[in-house]
Amino acid sequence: MTELDDKDTAEIDRAGLARRWAADLEMAKKSDKEFIEAGRKIVKRYRDQRGISDNSRKYNILWSNVQTLAPAVYAKKPQAQVQRRFKDADPVGRCASQILERALQFEIDHYSDYDSTLKNNVLDRLLPGRGVAWVRFEPAEDAEGANEESESQVTDDQSAESMGAYECSPCDYVFWEDFRHGPARTWEEVPWVGRLVYLGKDEGAKRFGEIFKDVPLAHEPIGIDEMKSDGMAADQIDRMKKAKVWEIWCKSERKVYWHAEGFQQILDVRDDPLGLEGFFPCPKPLYATLTTDTLCPVPDFKQYQDQAKEMDELTARIALLVKAVKVVGVYDASHEGIQRMMNEGVDNQLIPVSTWAMFAEKGGLKGAVDFMPIDMVLTALAGLYEAREQVKQIIYEITGLSDIIRGASVASETATAQQIKSQFASLRLKHLQGDVARFASDLLRMKAQIMCALYRPEVLVAMSSMADSKDAQYIPQAIELLQNDVLRAFRIEVATDSLVELDEAGEKAARMEFLTAAGGFIREAIQAPPEMAPLLGEMLMFGVRSFKAGQSMEASLEQFIAQSAEKAKQPKPEQPNPEMLKVQAQQQAEQGRMQLEQMKMQATAQGEQQRMQADMTIAQGKAQFDMQLEQMRIQQKADAESRRLEFERWKAELDSQTKLAIASMSTQPAIDAKANEQTEKVSGEMNGQIEQVAQSLMDNLDAKTSELSQMLAEISSVITSPRKIVRGPDGRATGVESGGVVRSIERGPDGRAVGIL
């Protein structure tokens, strides 16, 4: 902003505007006079500004209460929340909400002005009773006029590095004495608001030009008189002086005026520079107690100032009585030993008394010493402590600071009693917490309106980092929506989260709640018919949009639901006529029955053929076995006959040889007797061998006969046992089971059965 040009100077009456606003500001000052005086006293009481030599005693209950309430109503830096107003299926609105929310959160986290302004405003609300904040716009130094020239189409490859400096919208803290507004009973009736800005010579010349060189520097910092007396140079003192410039926003004219105190001309006049919805660059201040007849608030301390004063008096009396609680007494000066006993450190020593008879006559030590009684002092002190505690409880009841808020508890209290106290405390604080949340949300809404109207689109995209998100395709449409004031108000709302200190696991609990709800719904939806997929998808998104933790998943879920809907829309095979299906089923059943009968006939024929083949095989085997058995009998009989003839031939030869030997030895009777003995011995051995051979032949014959009998029995059992056809996976016969024995069917090259293995 620069100095008014010649055309503007000719069109306005500088002196008349200066007189007008000087009068309006003076009237507003008189209206706030009582409020400002009370606020200064309260701040001084809160700071306990007493000299070091001041020995008075006070109980600063105001400081204690404010230190307890401040973190209860503003415990942490708020989080921006921008969302679709009606939470419907609006991807462009969702993208615009995320762009604006991330841009707001970036400025909240990157700059400290928003958080510090809220803390100062909460403190002003709890002390003098009015907290004021001011929003302004700072354009990028290298981007003057870029807002008019920039296009709404934004590419994905733009970044903060490529754009250099970027815009911002700081939140300024306004000191509670430096705020004025026009006469009104409610905030909605306020015609104008103004704040006091202190500008030095260089700052004012840069802002307003040459006209500022004649503005009086009416503001001097505290302690400048001491600096003058210490010999500080005049130029250094002048550099510390500042001009008091009022920035006045008139709603009825939708113009902004800059007026310096003590200057006879208006410094500058501008049309609405921000285009805010409510025109004023400040939200409704944080007010203490208000009534509908005036906007001058009543500080909270005034509601219990009498009790606080009573506590100070009780504390002062307690301090005096504490000083009085000491051992003080008198003694007989004629007895020097008593003085030594009280003043000297005499442990385990006896002090001599020169006039013992007189000392004993006066009653000894009891008659010579008398102490001041402190029983009444202690009783009065206990009563004062009790009275101060009662006054403190009255203050807590007035302010609503219960034991739960102060972290105090009694071991004998039940859980129900503490819960009642907690509910009572939350009810008393709910209004104040809601007012602070409203104030913080109003500041964010103003920042959001400035961002949408005055920030370059590429700056918003870079601050939000939306170019890499799944909603990047909607960025151009989202920027167009943000720059349209009417559509933006219809589709998007800006607020803050709760400003009360939350549990660290709050976000995790919210995510788990979302996953539990969505997971349970998806499990139930899987079992539903495919044609219900679109309806179930809409129901799922209806629930997801109500979860703050589900916003990051919303785009992915919508994409999945869209793909499912496309699959559901694909043409499906035409369903045949039920009557045709019935006829086809009957035909298939008849064909199956005929095939089954044919298979049964084939199985019966094959079984009969296999039985005949088995009978033929058994008969052939039996004939072969009989032939082999007969051949074995003939062979064994021939072998036995051959051995018998051989034995008889051998025996005949032996008899002839024996007889020759006997004839040759007839002359020798002794030799004959010995020869007869040997002959009998050899004959006995030969007979034994013959019997062994005959027995062996008979045993072998019996074994063969038993084996043949067993084979005949097995063949007979196979022939007489019921037979069962064994079939393979293809239904063809693969064997015959009879008596627990499975015999495979042997097939020829043409696949027909030729025998049983």
Side-chain angles (χ1 to χ4, degrees):
M1 298 180 184
T2 58
E3 183 183 3
L4 291 172
D5 55 23
D6 295 337
K7 182 179 179 181
D8 293 333
T9 305
E11 292 178 353
I12 66 171
D13 181 8
R14 286 181 175 273
L17 289 174
R19 289 192 299 270
R20 166 196 169 185
W21 287 114
D24 288 348
L25 289 170
E26 185 63 25
M27 181 180 295
K29 181 180 180 180
K30 291 181 179 179
S31 299
D32 288 348
K33 181 179 180 181
E34 183 179 354
F35 162 72
I36 292 175
E37 290 178 354
R40 288 175 179 175
K41 293 179 181 179
I42 292 173
V43 172
K44 185 177 180 180
R45 181 70 180 87
Y46 175 78
R47 294 170 61 91
D48 198 4
Q49 292 179 336
R50 289 180 290 169
I52 299 177
S53 59
D54 189 352
N55 294 325
S56 61
R57 297 292 185 268
K58 294 183 178 181
Y59 194 105
N60 199 345
I61 189 67
L62 174 62
W63 182 88
S64 176
N65 291 346
V66 171
Q67 291 295 314
T68 303
L69 281 173
V73 298
Y74 184 80
K76 67 180 182 66
K77 185 187 301 183
Q79 300 290 319
Q81 285 191 351
V82 184
Q83 57 188 357
R84 287 155 294 173
R85 188 172 298 277
F86 303 107
K87 297 181 177 64
D88 52 358
D90 183 8
V92 176
R94 181 181 66 239
C95 181
S97 300
Q98 291 182 351
I99 290 175
L100 191 54
E101 178 177 310
R102 294 184 179 187
L104 287 171
Q105 195 60 47
F106 169 78
E107 291 206 350
I108 292 175
D109 297 335
H110 189 67
Y111 304 109
S112 62
D113 57 286
Y114 183 78
D115 183 45
S116 62
T117 298
L118 287 178
K119 289 181 179 178
N120 293 333
N121 290 147
V122 170
L123 186 60
D124 285 351
R125 159 63 182 83
L126 297 176
L127 288 175
R130 183 173 68 189
V132 183
W134 206 273
V135 182
R136 56 187 172 87
F137 171 66
E138 286 188 2
E141 295 181 358
D142 60 348
E144 293 289 346
N147 297 293
E148 292 80 5
E149 300 175 0
S150 60
E151 298 291 337
S152 61
Q153 301 296 329
V154 182
T155 59
D156 294 342
D157 57 351
Q158 289 173 327
S159 61
E161 290 78 4
S162 63
M163 67 183 68
Y166 52 89
E167 299 85 353
C168 63
S169 52
C171 293
D172 294 337
Y173 163 70
V174 180
F175 184 56
W176 57 277
E177 291 189 34
D178 296 341
F179 178 74
R180 299 282 190 275
H181 60 77
R185 293 169 299 184
T186 61
W187 178 254
E188 290 73 21
E189 298 176 356
V190 173
W192 59 267
V193 296
R195 68 164 176 169
L196 184 60
V197 181
Y198 300 90
L199 296 177
K201 286 185 177 180
D202 296 337
E203 296 173 316
K206 182 179 179 181
R207 165 64 181 83
F208 300 106
E210 292 296 326
I211 193 175
F212 193 79
K213 66 181 181 180
D214 297 328
V215 174
L217 304 179
H219 174 70
E220 295 182 352
I222 299 175
I224 196 171
D225 294 333
E226 297 179 359
M227 296 178 184
K228 291 179 181 179
S229 61
D230 293 340
M232 180 175 287
D235 57 342
Q236 294 180 348
I237 293 177
D238 292 340
R239 183 174 53 83
M240 295 181 183
K241 294 181 180 180
K242 294 182 180 297
K244 295 182 177 180
V245 180
W246 285 94
E247 179 183 343
I248 306 167
W249 291 61
C250 183
K251 182 188 292 186
S252 60
E253 302 174 7
R254 299 195 73 85
K255 291 183 179 294
V256 185
Y257 300 89
W258 282 266
H259 169 67
E261 288 188 3
F263 192 57
Q264 303 303 319
Q265 298 185 47
I266 203 75
L267 291 178
D268 197 0
V269 180
R270 291 297 174 96
D271 292 329
D272 185 4
L274 298 181
L276 298 176
E277 184 179 351
F279 180 72
F280 291 152
C282 62
K284 178 183 178 181
L286 280 174
Y287 282 119
T289 303
L290 281 179
T291 55
T292 56
D293 59 341
T294 180
L295 280 177
C296 274
V298 179
D300 294 342
F301 181 70
K302 295 191 70 173
Q303 308 300 332
Y304 61 93
Q305 60 182 352
D306 295 338
Q307 287 75 22
K309 184 177 180 180
E310 184 178 355
M311 286 191 66
D312 290 342
E313 294 175 354
L314 291 172
T315 302
R317 292 180 182 179
I318 289 173
L320 293 175
L321 289 180
V322 168
K323 291 181 180 180
V325 179
K326 56 185 177 181
V327 179
V328 179
V330 295
Y331 69 96
D332 188 353
S334 62
H335 303 292
E336 297 179 357
I338 297 177
Q339 184 179 6
R340 288 180 56 195
M341 183 175 60
M342 298 299 298
N343 295 335
E344 298 179 6
V346 287
D347 295 334
N348 300 325
Q349 292 184 7
L350 297 178
I351 299 175
V353 178
S354 57
T355 57
W356 176 258
M358 186 183 301
F359 182 73
E361 184 179 351
K362 292 182 178 181
L365 187 60
K366 293 181 179 180
V369 178
D370 192 9
F371 291 96
M372 183 186 73
I374 61 174
D375 296 341
M376 292 185 296
V377 177
L378 293 176
T379 302
L381 188 61
L384 289 175
Y385 278 122
E386 184 178 356
R388 190 172 67 175
E389 288 298 321
Q390 292 178 356
V391 175
K392 190 191 301 183
Q393 292 301 322
I394 295 175
I395 293 176
Y396 289 154
E397 290 182 3
I398 294 174
T399 58
L401 290 174
S402 67
D403 297 341
I404 301 300
I405 298 178
R406 294 182 290 106
S409 180
V410 180
S412 59
E413 285 186 346
T414 62
T416 304
Q418 293 187 354
Q419 183 178 3
I420 293 174
K421 286 185 177 181
S422 178
Q423 293 175 353
F424 172 77
S426 63
L427 290 175
R428 294 295 298 268
L429 285 178
K430 188 175 182 180
H431 175 73
L432 181 56
Q433 291 171 346
D435 202 18
V436 174
R438 186 270 313 164
F439 184 79
S441 298
D442 290 346
L443 278 178
L444 279 185
R445 290 190 186 98
M446 292 180 178
K447 287 174 66 71
Q449 293 175 22
I450 293 174
M451 286 180 174
C452 296
L454 303 178
Y455 280 33
R456 289 171 290 166
E458 58 268 23
V459 173
L460 290 175
V461 175
M463 293 171 68
S464 62
S465 300
M466 285 294 294
D468 299 328
S469 67
K470 293 186 178 181
D471 287 337
Q473 56 181 329
Y474 304 114
I475 288 178
Q477 298 169 285
I479 293 296
E480 184 178 355
L481 171 62
L482 291 176
Q483 292 177 340
N484 190 316
D485 296 341
V486 177
L487 292 179
R488 183 181 68 244
F490 287 163
R491 295 167 65 178
I492 294 176
E493 62 178 349
V494 182
T496 61
D497 62 346
S498 176
L499 301 181
V500 182
E501 183 65 43
L502 301 177
D503 186 21
E504 294 180 356
E507 184 177 358
K508 183 185 297 184
R511 291 176 182 267
M512 293 304 298
E513 181 184 3
F514 166 73
L515 292 176
T516 301
F521 181 84
I522 292 174
R523 284 193 298 270
E524 295 293 334
I526 290 175
Q527 303 177 2
E531 56 270 15
M532 293 187 64
L535 175 61
L536 294 175
E538 290 297 327
M539 292 177 63
L540 176 62
M541 296 310 302
F542 175 78
V544 168
R545 294 187 188 104
S546 64
F547 285 90
K548 175 65 177 175
Q551 290 186 3
S552 59
M553 295 285 297
E554 191 171 341
S556 300
L557 288 173
E558 285 185 351
Q559 182 179 1
F560 172 75
I561 292 172
Q563 294 175 356
S564 301
E566 289 296 329
K567 292 181 179 180
K569 292 179 181 179
Q570 293 178 358
K572 298 180 179 179
E574 185 178 355
Q575 297 293 335
N577 190 352
E579 294 295 332
M580 294 295 296
L581 289 176
K582 184 177 181 180
V583 172
Q584 291 178 359
Q586 291 177 353
Q587 291 178 354
Q588 292 177 358
E590 184 64 23
Q591 291 177 359
R593 187 183 62 78
M594 293 176 63
Q595 291 177 358
L596 181 61
E597 292 294 334
Q598 185 177 2
M599 290 175 61
K600 288 182 178 180
M601 293 175 63
Q602 291 178 356
T604 303
Q606 290 178 358
E608 186 65 24
Q609 183 178 3
Q610 290 174 1
R611 187 183 64 78
M612 294 174 63
Q613 290 178 355
D615 292 342
M616 293 176 61
T617 302
I618 292 171
Q620 292 176 359
K622 184 177 180 182
Q624 292 177 359
F625 178 75
D626 291 341
M627 185 180 297
Q628 291 177 358
L629 182 61
E630 186 63 27
Q631 290 177 357
M632 289 176 62
R633 288 178 179 177
I634 294 172
Q635 183 66 31
Q636 290 179 356
K637 186 176 181 181
D639 291 342
E641 184 66 22
S642 175
R643 290 183 180 181
R644 186 183 64 77
L645 294 175
E646 182 67 23
F647 175 72
E648 290 181 353
R649 184 183 61 79
W650 178 75
K651 185 178 180 182
E653 291 180 356
L654 181 62
D655 290 339
S656 61
Q657 291 178 2
T658 302
K659 289 178 178 181
L660 291 175
I662 292 172
S664 62
M665 293 184 300
S666 58
T667 57
Q668 298 176 354
I671 295 175
D672 293 340
K674 188 175 182 180
N676 291 334
E677 183 180 354
Q678 291 179 351
T679 300
E680 291 177 359
K681 182 178 181 181
V682 172
S683 178
E685 292 177 356
M686 291 297 294
N687 290 331
Q689 292 178 358
I690 292 171
E691 291 178 358
Q692 290 179 357
V693 171
Q695 186 65 36
S696 176
L697 291 174
M698 292 302 295
D699 292 340
N700 190 13
L701 181 60
D702 293 338
K704 291 294 184 180
T705 303
S706 176
E707 183 179 356
L708 290 174
S709 300
Q710 185 176 358
M711 291 176 62
L712 290 173
E714 292 178 358
I715 293 172
S716 177
S717 64
V718 170
I719 295 172
T720 57
S721 298
R723 292 182 296 276
K724 179 180 179 182
I725 303 300
V726 179
R727 300 184 179 276
D730 56 353
R732 297 181 62 187
T734 59
V736 178
E737 180 181 359
S738 178
V741 179
V742 179
R743 298 182 182 274
S744 302
I745 296 176
E746 182 181 4
R747 296 183 181 275
D750 56 354
R752 298 182 63 183
V754 298
I756 298 178
L757 299 178

